[in-house]
C-alpha cells in the first residue's frame, strides 16, 4: 500500500499534465501551420504583383508598337518603304530590329532587292527559321502557363512560342517610369487592337528574345524585336532598389527578412533585392514562373526560417509548470495526510495487539482455573455449576476473539502460515463439537455432526480449529432461530492428492446473494437488520478463508437449496496429503 500510494499520486499528477501538454503542442503546431499558410499566401500575392507589373510593361510596349505600325502603314501607303522603317528603328531605344512579311509570307523588310546593313544581315540570319514559318503569326494562343520544370528550359531552346498577353491586362494600363515606353503608349488613346497580334518568345544569342508582331488590314505582318538589355533594364527599374533603404522605409521593413530573385532562362540571377543574404545551399520558400513572354524566367522568394511563436510556447510551459507545481503540492499534502493516518492506524493496531497479548495470559489462567473448579465442584451445587459454565463459555468466546485479532494482525504483517501435523479430521472435529455443544445449547441450538473424514492425513489442526471456531461462532450469533447446526465431513482422492471437505450449515436467516463475497472482506458485517444488536469484529470469515487458502483449499458460501432450503451453508475445502516428506510451513499472502 505504501508503494502504490505514491505511484497513484504520480499518475494523477502526470495524466492531466500530459493531456494538457498534448493539447497545447497540437494547438501551437496548428498555429504554426496557419502562419505558414498565411505567409505562403502573402508571398504568392507578392510574386503575382511583380508578374502583373511586368505584364503591364509589355502591354504598354504592345500598345505603342501597334500605334507605330499603324502610323508607318499610313505614311508608306502600306508599302513599308525601307527609309521610314530604318528611321523608326534608329529612333527607338526599345526596338532592336523590325521585319515585315507579305500576306504570302515573303519578306519585305529587311529588303530582298537592296543592300542590307550589318545589323540587318545579322538579324536575318538569326530569324531565318522564324521567318520561314509565317503560320506562327496567324494563330496565337492566349497566355500559356510557364514550363513545369524551369531548370529544364534548355530542352526547349529551339522552340518558338507565340501567344498573346493575359486578358487581365488587356484593358489595364499604368504609368511607366521609362519615358520611351510611356511615349509609345501615349501616342494615341489605348484601345483593344482589332487585328491579329501576339508575342513570340524564342531563344537566340544564348538568351531569351522577344518579338511583338501585328497584322495590318492588308495581311502584312510587322514584327518588332526588342532590345534585350534595354528590356531587362526597364524591368529592373520597376522593382525595388537592391540598395539599403532609409531607416523607417516601409518597403525596407517588409524586405528586411527576405530576398526576391529574378532568375532568367539559364538559371542565372539577373537581379535581387531584400535584406536577407541566404546561403548558397538554402532553397527558396516559393518559386513562381513569369507569364508570357517571359515564361522561362521565374521569381524565387527566399526567407528566414518561419518565426516561432515564442510567446505561445512560453505561456504553455509556464502554465504546465504552475499546474505541475500545484498538483505536486496537493499530492504532497494528500500523501503526508495519508501517511499520518496510516501511522495512527498502525499505532491503533499495535495497541490492540499489545492489549490482546496482555489479555491472553490472564485469560488462559481464568480458563484453566475454571476447568479445575468444574472438576472439583460437587454435583449437588447446580447454581455454582451454572455460574462456572457461563464463565467458561464467555472466557472461550473472549479467547477466540483474541486469537482472531492476533492472527489477523500477524497475517497482514507476515502472511498466513500453516503447520502440517499428522492426524484425523473427524477426531479434531469431534473435539470442536464437544467444545461448542454447551455454547450452542445455551442458544437453543442442537449441533449435529456426521463425520466421514476418517483417513489418516496431514493438516494443521490449529488452523482447522480456528476456521471452525469462526463458523460455529457465526451460527451462535445469527442462526439461533434455526434450532439446528449440521456439520458434515468427507474425503475424496484426486489426482493431486487427498482432499477433505467440511460443510457447516444452519437454518437461520441465511446470507443475501449480494453479501456472499463481501462477507469475506475485512470488517464487513452484512445487512444492518441481521447484525443489529449482535457484537462482532468482521474479521473472522476473512481470516478463515485466508487460512483455508493457505492450506491449498478454499472457503465458500454455497447457494440456497444445495443442502437446505434456507439458512447459510459454508463449504470448507482443505488439501490433506496422506504422505509428506517433511513437516513444512506454507504461507498465503493476499
Amino acid at each position: 500500500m505504501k508503494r502504490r500510494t505514491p505511484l497513484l499520486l504520480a499518475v494523477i499528477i502526470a495524466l492531466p499534465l500530459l493531456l494538457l501538454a498534448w493539447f497545447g503542442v497540437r494547438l501551437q503546431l496548428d498555429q504554426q501551420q496557419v502562419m505558414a499558410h498565411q505567409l505562403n499566401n502573402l508571398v504568392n500575392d507578392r510574386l503575382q504583383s511583380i508578374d502583373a507589373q511586368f505584364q503591364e510593361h509589355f502591354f504598354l510596349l504592345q500598345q505603342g508598337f501597334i500605334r507605330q505600325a499603324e502610323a508607318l502603314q499610313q505614311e508608306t501607303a502600306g508599302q513599308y518603304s525601307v527609309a521610314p522603317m530604318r528611321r523608326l528603328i534608329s529612333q527607338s531605344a526599345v526596338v532592336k530590329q523590325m521585319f515585315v512579311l507579305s500576306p504570302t509570307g515573303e519578306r519585305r523588310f529587311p529588303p530582298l532587292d537592296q543592300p542590307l546593313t550589318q545589323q540587318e544581315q545579322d538579324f536575318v540570319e538569326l530569324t531565318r527559321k522564324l521567318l520561314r514559318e509565317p503560320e506562327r503569326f496567324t494563330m496565337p494562343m492566349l497566355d500559356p502557363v510557364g514550363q513545369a520544370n524551369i531548370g529544364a528550359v534548355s530542352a526547349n531552346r529551339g522552340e518558338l512560342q507565340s501567344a498573346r498577353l493575359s486578358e487581365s491586362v488587356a484593358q489595364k494600363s499604368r504609368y511607366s517610369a521609362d519615358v520611351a515606353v510611356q511615349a509609345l503608349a501615349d501616342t494615341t488613346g489605348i484601345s483593344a487592337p482589332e487585328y491579329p497580334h501576339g508575342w513570340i518568345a524564342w531563344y537566340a544569342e544564348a538568351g531569351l528574345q522577344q518579338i511583338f508582331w501585328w497584322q495590318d488590314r492588308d495581311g502584312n505582318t510587322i514584327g518588332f524585336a526588342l532590345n534585350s538589355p534595354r528590356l531587362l533594364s526597364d524591368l529592373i527599374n520597376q522593382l525595388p532598389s537592391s540598395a539599403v533603404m532609409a531607416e523607417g522605409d516601409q518597403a525596407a521593413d517588409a524586405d528586411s527578412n527576405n530576398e526576391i530573385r529574378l532568375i532568367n532562362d539559364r538559371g542565372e540571377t539577373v537581379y535581387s533585392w531584400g535584406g536577407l543574404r541566404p546561403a548558397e545551399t538554402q532553397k527558396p520558400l516559393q518559386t513562381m514562373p513569369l507569364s508570357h513572354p517571359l515564361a522561362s524566367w521565374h521569381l524565387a522568394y527566399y526567407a528566414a526560417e518561419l518565426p516561432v511563436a515564442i510567446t505561445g510556447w512560453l505561456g504553455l510551459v509556464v502554465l504546465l509548470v504552475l499546474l505541475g507545481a500545484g498538483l505536486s503540492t496537493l499530492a504532497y499534502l494528500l500523501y503526508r495526510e495519508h501517511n499520518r493516518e496510516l501511522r495512527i492506524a498502525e499505532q491503533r493496531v499495535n495497541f490492540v495487539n499489545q492489549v490482546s497479548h496482555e489479555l491472553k495470559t490472564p485469560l488462559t489462567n481464568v480458563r484453566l482455573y475454571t476447568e479445575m473448579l468444574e472438576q472439583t465442584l460437587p454435583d449437588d451445587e447446580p447454581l455454582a455449576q451454572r455460574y462456572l459454565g457461563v464463565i467458561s463459555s464467555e472466557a472461550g468466546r473472549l479467547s477466540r476473539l483474541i486469537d482472531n485479532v492476533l492472527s489477523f494482525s500477524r497475517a497482514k504483517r507476515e502472511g498466513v502460515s500453516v503447520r502440517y501435523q499428522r492426524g484425523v479430521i473427524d477426531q479434531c472435529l469431534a473435539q470442536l463439537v464437544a467444545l461448542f455443544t454447551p455454547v450452542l445449547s445455551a442458544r437453543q441450538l442442537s449441533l449435529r455432526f456426521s463425520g466421514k473424514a476418517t483417513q489418516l492425513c496431514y493438516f494443521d489442526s490449529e488452523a482447522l480449529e480456528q476456521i471452525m471456531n469462526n463458523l460455529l461462532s457465526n451460527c451462535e450469533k445469527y442462526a439461533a432461530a434455526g434450532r439446528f447446526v449440521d456439520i458434515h465431513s468427507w474425503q475424496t482422492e484426486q489426482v493431486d492428492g487427498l482432499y477433505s471437505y467440511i460443510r457447516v450449515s444452519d437454518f437461520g436467516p441465511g446470507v443475501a446473494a449480494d453479501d456472499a463475497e463481501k462477507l469475506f472482506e475485512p470488517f464487513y458485517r452484512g445487512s444492518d437488520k441481521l447484525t443489529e444488536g449482535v457484537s462482532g469484529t468482521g474479521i473472522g470469515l476473512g481470516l478463515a478463508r485466508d487460512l483455508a487458502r493457505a492450506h491449498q483449499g478454499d472457503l465458500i458460501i454455497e447457494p440456497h437449496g444445495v443442502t437446505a432450503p434456507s439458512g447459510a451453508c459454508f463449504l470448507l475445502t482443505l488439501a490433506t496429503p496422506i504422505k509428506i516428506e517433511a513437516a513444512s510451513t506454507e504461507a498465503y499472502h493476499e
Side-chain angles (χ1 to χ4, degrees):
M1 184 64 182
K2 292 182 178 179
R3 295 181 180 179
R4 289 200 300 264
T5 301
L7 181 61
L8 180 60
L9 292 176
V11 171
I12 293 175
I13 294 174
L15 187 60
L17 287 178
L18 291 176
L19 289 176
L20 182 60
W22 183 76
F23 282 114
V25 170
R26 285 291 304 272
L27 179 61
Q28 292 299 322
L29 293 178
D30 290 344
Q31 289 181 349
Q32 286 190 347
Q33 291 179 355
V34 171
M35 291 176 58
H37 181 69
Q38 293 176 345
L39 178 61
N40 287 332
N41 289 339
L42 292 175
V43 171
N44 186 64
D45 293 343
R46 181 80 183 277
L47 298 182
Q48 286 183 351
S49 67
I50 296 173
D51 183 57
Q53 285 181 300
F54 290 169
Q55 285 289 291
E56 291 170 5
H57 178 75
F58 281 105
F59 181 74
L60 288 174
L61 292 175
Q62 171 181 298
Q63 294 299 103
F65 292 152
I66 291 174
R67 303 302 173 242
Q68 288 182 341
E70 290 176 346
L72 190 62
Q73 180 189 28
Q74 294 178 0
E75 180 182 353
T76 61
Q79 298 301 315
Y80 300 101
S81 305
V82 174
M85 296 286 293
R86 288 176 174 172
R87 182 175 67 253
L88 178 60
I89 295 173
S90 64
Q91 293 177 352
S92 176
V94 296
V95 178
K96 178 181 179 180
Q97 191 54 258
M98 295 178 61
F99 67 88
V100 179
L101 298 178
S102 67
T104 60
E106 182 181 359
R107 191 184 76 205
R108 299 181 62 178
F109 184 87
L112 296 174
D113 54 354
Q114 296 184 25
L116 303 179
T117 64
Q118 184 62 42
Q119 184 180 11
E120 292 172 346
Q121 292 177 8
D122 295 341
F123 180 74
V124 169
E125 183 66 24
L126 198 65
T127 58
R128 185 178 304 277
K129 179 180 178 180
L130 174 65
L131 300 182
R132 285 202 306 263
E133 300 176 354
E135 63 272 9
R136 291 187 177 274
F137 307 105
T138 57
M139 297 181 64
M141 301 177 296
L142 291 178
D143 183 17
V145 179
Q147 299 174 12
N149 187 357
I150 298 176
V153 294
S154 58
N156 298 323
R157 284 180 177 266
E159 182 180 344
L160 303 178
Q161 302 175 11
S162 178
R164 291 187 180 184
L165 295 179
S166 173
E167 293 294 337
S168 61
V169 297
Q171 302 296 332
K172 182 179 179 182
S173 174
R174 295 181 180 175
Y175 174 77
S176 175
D178 191 299
V179 177
V181 174
Q182 188 66 33
L184 289 174
D186 290 344
T187 54
T188 60
I190 298 176
S191 59
E194 298 179 358
Y195 302 107
H197 66 281
W199 287 87
I200 291 180
W202 59 303
Y203 295 93
E205 296 181 341
L208 185 68
Q209 308 290 329
Q210 290 82 20
I211 290 179
F212 175 74
W213 60 269
W214 175 79
Q215 288 184 359
D216 61 12
R217 59 178 176 270
D218 298 327
N220 297 304
T221 302
I222 300 92
F224 298 83
L226 270 63
N227 187 344
S228 296
R230 178 55 186 266
L231 174 64
L232 178 60
S233 176
D234 292 342
L235 295 177
I236 292 176
N237 286 337
Q238 298 188 47
L239 301 176
S241 173
S242 60
V244 179
M245 295 184 177
E247 184 177 357
D249 193 315
Q250 292 183 355
D253 293 340
D255 295 331
S256 60
N257 293 324
N258 59 66
E259 182 183 78
I260 303 178
R261 295 179 181 179
L262 178 62
I263 301 176
N264 63 15
D265 56 292
R266 296 188 298 271
E268 301 171 347
T269 301
V270 297
Y271 185 71
S272 65
W273 70 97
L276 180 69
R277 292 297 176 263
E280 294 182 0
T281 58
Q282 181 176 344
K283 295 182 178 180
L285 178 65
Q286 191 169 337
T287 60
M288 190 189 75
L290 295 175
S291 301
H292 187 76
L294 294 175
S296 61
W297 289 30
H298 67 277
L299 294 169
Y301 186 95
Y302 292 84
E305 295 185 0
L306 290 178
V308 180
I310 301 297
T311 304
W313 287 106
L314 182 61
L316 177 61
V317 171
V318 171
L319 178 60
L320 291 176
V321 170
L322 292 178
L323 181 60
L327 291 177
S328 300
T329 302
L330 180 60
Y332 171 73
L333 294 176
L334 292 175
Y335 181 69
R336 188 175 66 176
E337 182 65 20
H338 176 71
N339 283 342
R340 188 181 70 84
E341 293 180 356
L342 285 180
R343 286 194 301 269
I344 294 175
E346 187 174 358
Q347 291 173 0
R348 292 173 179 172
V349 171
N350 291 335
F351 173 76
V352 173
N353 291 337
Q354 292 175 2
V355 171
S356 299
H357 276 290
E358 294 296 329
L359 290 175
K360 190 172 182 63
T361 301
L363 183 60
T364 302
N365 291 331
V366 170
R367 295 184 64 184
L368 176 62
Y369 283 100
T370 301
E371 293 176 359
M372 292 172 61
L373 281 174
E374 287 179 341
Q375 294 175 1
T376 59
L377 193 66
D379 294 337
D380 56 354
E381 296 186 14
L383 185 60
Q385 289 282 358
R386 187 163 60 88
Y387 290 165
L388 286 177
V390 173
I391 294 174
S392 178
S393 174
E394 295 302 321
R397 185 198 305 272
L398 184 57
S399 179
R400 291 191 295 271
L401 176 61
I402 291 176
D403 288 341
N404 279 341
V405 171
L406 293 177
S407 298
F408 179 79
S409 176
R410 184 168 57 251
K412 294 302 180 184
R413 184 175 64 252
E414 302 173 359
V416 180
S417 62
V418 294
R419 289 182 294 273
Y420 288 96
Q421 297 176 350
R422 196 176 186 186
V424 179
I425 294 293
D426 281 353
Q427 291 180 358
C428 183
L429 292 177
Q431 295 175 2
L432 291 171
V433 169
L435 178 64
F436 269 89
T437 295
V439 176
L440 295 178
S441 296
R443 298 282 293 175
Q444 306 301 318
L445 284 170
S446 297
L447 185 56
R448 300 182 296 192
F449 173 54
S450 174
K452 296 181 181 180
T454 58
Q455 190 169 354
L456 192 63
C457 59
Y458 285 90
F459 64 97
D460 188 340
S461 59
E462 293 183 0
L464 177 57
E465 181 181 350
Q466 192 165 5
I467 293 172
M468 295 301 296
N469 283 340
N470 285 309
L471 294 178
L472 294 176
S473 294
N474 282 341
C475 293
E476 176 194 359
K477 295 176 183 178
Y478 306 112
R483 297 182 58 187
F484 296 102
V485 175
D486 293 335
I487 300 177
H488 300 275
S489 66
W490 70 95
Q491 291 174 320
T492 59
E493 189 74 33
Q494 298 184 11
V495 178
D496 54 346
L498 181 68
Y499 279 84
S500 298
Y501 299 91
I502 302 170
R503 177 179 288 122
V504 179
S505 55
D506 60 53
F507 299 88
V511 178
D514 296 338
D515 292 337
E517 285 298 321
K518 295 180 181 179
L519 285 179
F520 296 101
E521 297 177 1
F523 311 112
Y524 183 81
R525 298 192 63 215
S527 62
D528 294 339
K529 182 178 180 180
L530 183 63
T531 59
E532 184 178 0
V534 180
S535 62
T537 59
I539 63 176
L541 288 179
L543 181 60
R545 171 175 276 188
D546 291 344
L547 289 170
R549 290 180 175 177
H551 215 294
Q552 301 181 27
D554 202 358
L555 177 63
I556 63 173
I557 300 179
E558 291 186 312
H560 295 300
V562 175
T563 58
S566 64
C569 183
F570 290 85
L571 178 62
L572 172 63
T573 305
L574 298 177
T576 54
I578 299 175
K579 297 181 180 180
I580 191 168
E581 295 181 359
S584 60
T585 300
E586 298 185 11
Y588 168 80
H589 298 271
E590 271 200 344

